[in-house]
């Protein structure tokens, strides 16, 4: 059910967040945001053979932030790193059936969390070599 | 799913936002739409006579609620309009007293947002601090109410944090210095006893929809003899202070709501105080990392406000709503979801004024109860809230990090 400015999809992901939690021994972790601006998103990735085989999140934030986190994990699972990097915040917002203009930044945060997590993965890879 | 079961009956704990119209009020209003529709200014024809009488009657009833004379009551269309009429009208009519205007830090937007306009007219606007309970800091007021100050605006009660301001003390100080006092009583009139003969205020805003009257009706009490300049130019309605044909049905509703409030106030206050205490005590027991906002005792009956660490207010509000409970949050995220962009999202200035860090305003919630609420509703809320808080904390990356 849609609620006020939030679409049905947003409310669905808010009420039933997919992939909420942590990954033990993740391939990469990205944390973005700042409690001062409201939202903090932490994204865990498990990557094997250049493919994201698992993704989990923890988020402190509003309905849009939680839904964006949840949707992002759904969009990236099974994708290659390059495919995942190509996922924009607009794609996250669109998959959620749109976000209110004042809440677009929540999808940006999701995109940034993803980039940070992949960055962390690459760094770990290089350190491992 | 468990939360759908509870959607059957809503629990309305958001009386600070608005209240339903009392059926008795609606009944009183009904004839003035289509039957007794005349213009109350058309006093020489039959159609105008009854509406005129109804306006006079409503003026008496609002007057009685505040212990004011009927001709000290000016009808307006909203508390926002009353606050604008009072502050601009008093400022413009009393420039001989000075040029400085003071607002408390926790005034409503309809007061706060007048600052730029007043400055453009050449007035100086300054702000008086409040203490961590939201009470006006009397030392700061004494310091800032210096010569050249013409007007101070301090609300009677704050609907976000529930605190009731020491208006009597403030008024006595200002009176001794020849400074006018306007008080926004939107959160207080009709809910707690307000006696303008006892309170040294020059004007006071009353809002009908805050106490079971209709939206679109409000009043301004203006003490006899205090000069006020109208801010809207037009006809000579409302003793020349407020042009425009009066909204007779809504004003009749305001009058009836005032009569009922005056008669039933003692009982309502008693019941709401007990319900509010039950909710307060229960939340205190059930939730950790909890901070109440506002004053613990000098507060509106049935008003419980707090913030919870590691929980974002909008998410909490949405979950409460899904469980059938209506509340309000001072979180930035929940502030103006319909804004054109994210710059419209700001943490409540009231909460930041009482020292709640902006990032923490996020977890703020206010419950404001009304006479139709029950102990069972309070208990249901108390059984639901910890579950929601637990769920959101489980999801928060900040929770464990801090506790470790």
């Amino acid at each position: 059910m849609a609620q006020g400015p939030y679409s049905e999809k947003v409310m669905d992901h808010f009420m039933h967040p997919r992939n909420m939690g942590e990954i033990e021994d993740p391939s990469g972790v990205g944390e973005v945001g700042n409690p001062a601006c409201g939202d903090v998103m932490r994204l865990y990735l498990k990557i094997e053979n250049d493919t994201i085989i698992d993704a989990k999140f923890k988020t402190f934030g509003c309905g849009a932030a939680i839904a964006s986190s949840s949707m992002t994990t759904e969009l990236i699972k099974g994708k290659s790193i390059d495919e995942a990097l190509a996922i924009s915040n607009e794609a996250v917002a669109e998959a959620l059936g749109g976000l209110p203009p004042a809440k677009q930044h929540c999808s940006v945060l999701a995109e940034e969390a993803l980039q940070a997590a992949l960055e962390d993965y690459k760094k770990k890879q290089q350190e491992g070599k | 799913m468990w939360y759908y079961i509870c959607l059957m009956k809503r629990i309305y704990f958001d009386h600070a936002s608005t209240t339903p119209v009392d059926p008795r009020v609606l009944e009183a209003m009904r004839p003035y739409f289509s039957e007794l529709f005349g213009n109350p200014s058309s006093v020489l024809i039959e159609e105008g006579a009854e509406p005129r009488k109804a306006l006079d009657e409503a003026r008496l009833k609002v007057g009685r609620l505040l212990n004011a004379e009927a001709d000290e009551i000016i009808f307006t269309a909203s508390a926002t309009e009353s606050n604008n009429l009072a502050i601009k009208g008093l400022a413009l009519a009393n420039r001989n007293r000075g040029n400085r205007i003071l607002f408390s830090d926790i005034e409503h937007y309809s007061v706060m947002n007048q600052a730029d306009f007043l400055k453009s007219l050449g007035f100086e606007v300054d702000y008086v601090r409040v203490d961590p309970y939201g009470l006006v800091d009397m030392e700061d007021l004494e310091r800032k109410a210096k010569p050249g100050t013409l007007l101070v605006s301090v609300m009677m009660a704050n609907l976000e944090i529930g605190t009731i301001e020491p208006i009597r003390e403030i008024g006595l100080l200002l009176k001794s210095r020849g400074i006018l006092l306007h008080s926004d009583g939107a959160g207080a009139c009709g809910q707690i006893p307000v006696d303008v003969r006892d309170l040294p205020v020059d004007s006071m805003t009353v809002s009908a929809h805050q106490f079971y009257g209709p939206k679109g009706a409000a009043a301004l009490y203006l003490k006899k003899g205090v000069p006020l300049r109208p801010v809207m130019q037009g006809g000579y309605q409302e003793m020349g202070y407020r042009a425009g044909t009066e909204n007779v049905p809504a004003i009749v509703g305001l009058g009836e709501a005032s009569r009922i409030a005056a008669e039933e106030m003692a009982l309502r206050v008693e019941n709401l105080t007990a319900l509010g205490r039950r909710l307060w005590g229960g939340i205190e027991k059930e939730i950790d990392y909890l901070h109440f906002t506002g004053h613990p005792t000098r507060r509106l009956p049935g008003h419980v406000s707090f913030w919870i660490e590691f929980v974002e207010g909008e998410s909490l509000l949405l979950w409460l709503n899904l469980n059938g409970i209506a509340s309000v949050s001072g979180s930035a995220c929940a502030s103006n979801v319909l804004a054109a962009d994210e710059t419209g999202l700001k943490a409540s200035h009231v909460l930041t004024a009482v020292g709640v860090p902006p990032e923490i305003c996020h977890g703020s919630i206010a419950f404001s109860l009304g006479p139709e609420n029950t102990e069972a509703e309070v208990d249901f809320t108390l059984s639901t809230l910890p579950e929601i808080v637990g769920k959101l904390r489980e999801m928060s990356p900040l929770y464990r990090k801090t506790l470790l």
Side-chain angles (χ1 to χ4, degrees), chain A residues 1 3 5-6 11 14-17 20 22 31 35-40 42 58-64 66 100-103 105, chain B residues 1 3-4 7 310-312 314-315 318-319 321-322 333 336-342 345 359 362 392 394-398 400-401:
Chain A
M1 52 179 195
Q3 198 168 326
Y6 287 144
M11 286 311 291
F14 171 71
M15 291 190 289
H16 313 286
M20 200 281 289
E22 297 171 6
E31 183 172 308
C37 77
D39 309 329
V40 181
R42 195 192 298 158
K58 282 214 161 185
T59 292
F60 168 89
C62 62
I66 290 170
K103 299 282 187 173
H105 67 280
Chain B
M1 279 157 284
Y3 42 81
Y4 287 129
L7 275 181
F310 320 111
V311 172
E312 198 281 316
E314 191 206 85
S315 287
L318 286 170
W319 270 115
N321 185 52
L322 288 165
C333 278
N336 189 3
V337 187
L338 300 176
D341 59 61
E342 67 194 65
L345 303 178
E359 70 270 24
H362 291 294
L392 289 171
E394 172 73 14
M395 215 181 271
S396 169
L398 306 171
R400 235 180 59 189
K401 206 191 240 177

Side-chain angles (χ1 to χ4, degrees), chain B residues 357-384:
Chain B
E359 70 270 24
I360 274 163
C361 295
H362 291 294
S364 76
I365 286 284
F367 291 129
S368 43
L369 280 53
E372 77 280 9
N373 292 132
T374 61
E375 279 190 4
E377 291 177 329
V378 167
D379 293 346
F380 175 76
T381 304
L382 288 173
S383 70
T384 311

Side-chain angles (χ1 to χ4, degrees), chain B residues 188-227:
Chain B
C189 297
Q191 299 183 56
I192 53 170
V194 173
D195 181 343
V196 293
R197 291 281 161 267
D198 178 51
L199 294 172
V201 295
D202 297 285
S203 60
M204 168 86 72
T205 290
V206 181
S207 177
H209 79 96
Q210 296 290 346
F211 60 101
Y212 308 92
K215 293 156 189 72
L220 181 70
Y221 156 77
L222 178 67
K223 190 178 183 168
K224 212 167 273 180
V226 175

Side-chain angles (χ1 to χ4, degrees), chain A residues 81-116:
Chain A
I81 291 175
D82 285 343
E83 284 169 337
L85 277 172
I87 293 171
S88 65
N89 76 295
E90 285 96 346
V92 174
E94 201 187 305
L96 285 169
L99 285 171
K103 299 282 187 173
Q104 287 295 337
H105 67 280
C106 296
S107 61
V108 175
L109 202 67
E111 184 187 322
E112 286 169 359
L114 174 59
Q115 282 163 356

Side-chain angles (χ1 to χ4, degrees), chain B residues 9-240:
Chain B
K9 188 182 169 283
R10 297 284 299 170
I11 296 177
Y12 189 71
F13 280 180
D14 193 18
H15 292 78
S17 294
T18 193
T19 59
V21 172
D22 186 303
R24 292 168 288 180
V25 170
L26 183 60
E27 266 324 297
M29 292 169 67
R30 212 183 285 279
Y32 294 93
F33 287 98
S34 301
E35 295 156 47
L36 305 170
F37 65 90
N39 190 321
S41 295
S42 307
V43 288
L44 296 178
I45 58 171
E46 206 175 307
E47 284 78 4
E50 276 300 321
R52 165 57 51 189
K53 258 167 66 185
L55 276 189
D56 292 344
E57 184 67 23
R59 217 180 294 281
L60 269 172
K61 288 175 176 173
V62 177
R64 269 185 219 126
L65 177 68
L66 304 179
N67 196 18
E69 300 290 328
D71 60 2
E72 292 176 310
I73 304 297
I74 303 163
F75 291 122
T76 68
S78 64
T80 292
E81 191 193 331
S82 291
N83 284 335
N84 273 269
L85 175 58
I87 292 169
K88 293 198 185 81
L90 288 172
L92 290 169
N94 296 279
R95 277 198 125 146
N96 57 326
R97 288 170 183 257
N99 204 45
R100 238 168 99 74
I101 299 169
L102 299 177
F103 295 161
S104 89
D105 266 339
I106 58 167
E107 293 302 292
H108 185 257
Y109 290 117
S110 58
V111 172
M112 282 299 187
N113 289 347
Q114 293 188 56
D116 282 349
F117 186 80
L118 290 165
K119 284 180 201 161
S120 78
L121 295 176
F123 292 101
E124 184 195 334
V125 179
D126 202 355
Y127 302 89
V128 183
R129 280 204 301 268
V130 295
D131 72 9
Y133 292 126
L135 293 172
V136 161
D137 179 336
M138 291 303 290
E139 275 177 31
D140 198 43
L141 178 65
E142 284 201 31
R143 211 170 22 246
K144 286 176 177 160
K146 56 190 184 191
T149 306
L150 87 99
L151 171 68
V152 175
S153 181
V154 178
M155 59 183 19
M156 186 81 208
N158 186 287
L159 286 166
E160 274 183 67
I161 57 172
T163 299
I164 299 172
E165 295 297 334
I167 292 298
R168 192 156 193 282
E169 205 180 333
I170 293 167
L172 289 175
L173 168 73
L174 297 177
K175 207 171 173 186
S176 73
R177 298 187 182 186
I179 300 168
L180 296 167
L181 173 61
H182 167 67
S183 185
D184 174 3
C189 297
Q191 299 183 56
I192 53 170
V194 173
D195 181 343
V196 293
R197 291 281 161 267
D198 178 51
L199 294 172
V201 295
D202 297 285
S203 60
M204 168 86 72
T205 290
V206 181
S207 177
H209 79 96
Q210 296 290 346
F211 60 101
Y212 308 92
K215 293 156 189 72
L220 181 70
Y221 156 77
L222 178 67
K223 190 178 183 168
K224 212 167 273 180
V226 175
L228 179 95
R229 186 170 154 184
V231 294
M232 249 188 332
Q233 281 63 53
Y236 299 98
Q237 291 88 351
E238 295 304 300
M239 299 155 278

